[in-house]
Amino acid sequence: FFYFPETHGISFRIQISVKEVLDTDVLLNLLFHLPVNYPSTVPDISVNSDQLTRAQCMDVREKLLEQAKKHLSEPMVHDLILWVQQHLKDVIKQSATVCNEKTTLSKGTEDGIWMLLLHLDHMRAKAKYVKTVEKWASNLRLTGRLMFMGKIILILLQGDRSSIKEYLILQKTSKVDVDSSGKKCKEKMMRVLCETELQSQHKRFQTFEVKEYSAPEELQREFETAGLPTLFSEFVPPLLK
């Protein structure tokens, strides 16, 4: 349980396992934030699960909030948990038809195309490093861009979620660069800026390319062409400072 001062109400996290959803147990993490005037106000709820897509988690959250409104002015957390245990199957089924069979649910989040944006601090052995990244992308059938702009180095990848995860492991555990004394070293200065499922408005990259940009505007255009203007505006400007 996480308690916050009186002024903010109370937040707590509950993990439940829901049986028999497509023959597998689904582990749901529910975070409830009860405002000070709960239960005359509905709690804020967030839903996470490794077995569900982000869209499905959002659907579950919306349905829970709808249920919460029906229970106004009476303690409701327990009822909401019971409700989700009984109805999770239906919510997931509905969200499957809505997203037009794009993700088959048997594998949960492993399906669908995912996107990853990484920021690297530097590359000392640039030529070797670039070759390694190209080889990994090719082996894992990932498309996207390795982008250089001034001192900024970004890697944008698209592909199966399992391949994206595999790439992250390689990037963190392989000796990809050299340290200041020329010894081979692992990448310690990498940040994952964003990891998310590809939405319909995003365009798929057909190839993996290494590109150099001379100005932020050029970099921005690359993101915009890919239908990713918000990804640029959210993550890149802080790096330019």
Side-chain angles (χ1 to χ4, degrees), residues 3-169:
Y3 287 100
F4 288 116
E6 299 296 292
T7 48
H8 299 300
I10 296 171
S11 284
F12 54 89
R13 196 184 299 276
I14 291 175
Q15 191 179 55
I16 56 169
S17 173
V18 184
K19 296 256 177 254
E20 292 169 23
V21 179
L22 305 150
D23 309 324
T24 56
D25 288 3
V26 172
L27 267 184
L28 278 186
N29 278 307
L30 304 174
L31 181 67
F32 289 94
H33 179 76
L34 311 186
V36 180
N37 43 1
Y38 168 86
S40 32
T41 319
V42 296
D44 188 28
I45 304 169
S46 65
V47 178
N48 282 300
S49 171
D50 284 347
Q51 287 101 331
L52 302 181
T53 62
R54 184 173 294 193
Q56 286 167 337
C57 287
M58 294 299 280
D59 286 343
V60 173
R61 176 178 181 266
E62 271 168 41
K63 292 281 189 284
L64 276 170
L65 289 170
E66 276 170 32
Q67 287 303 311
K69 284 174 191 151
K70 295 178 187 170
H71 290 283
L72 270 181
S73 77
E74 52 185 275
M76 61 186 87
V77 172
H78 183 63
D79 292 323
L80 293 177
I81 290 167
L82 288 178
W83 184 89
V84 82
Q85 285 178 314
Q86 286 158 1
H87 295 90
L88 184 65
K89 226 184 205 161
D90 309 329
V91 178
I92 291 177
K93 269 204 195 107
Q94 276 175 349
S95 96
T97 47
V98 171
C99 68
N100 193 8
E101 263 73 83
K102 189 180 64 170
T103 53
T104 28
L105 298 172
S106 54
K107 291 194 206 150
T109 39
E110 294 308 314
D111 289 353
I113 297 300
W114 280 67
M115 176 167 69
L116 178 71
L117 181 62
L118 300 174
H119 173 238
L120 300 180
D121 188 69
H122 61 271
M123 287 183 178
R124 281 203 177 88
K126 186 174 169 182
K128 176 180 168 286
Y129 204 134
V130 170
K131 264 210 178 71
T132 307
V133 171
E134 285 179 314
K135 188 179 83 187
W136 288 341
S138 153
N139 290 350
L140 293 166
R141 293 207 295 277
L142 296 171
T143 60
R145 299 282 182 269
L146 168 51
M147 305 182 265
F148 294 95
M149 207 281 309
K151 290 190 167 166
I152 295 172
I153 307 168
L154 295 170
I155 302 177
L156 180 58
L157 296 169
Q158 295 175 344
D160 294 338
R161 192 174 188 196
S162 50
S163 302
I164 294 262
K165 286 188 162 158
E166 183 75 21
Y167 179 91
L168 269 174
I169 292 168

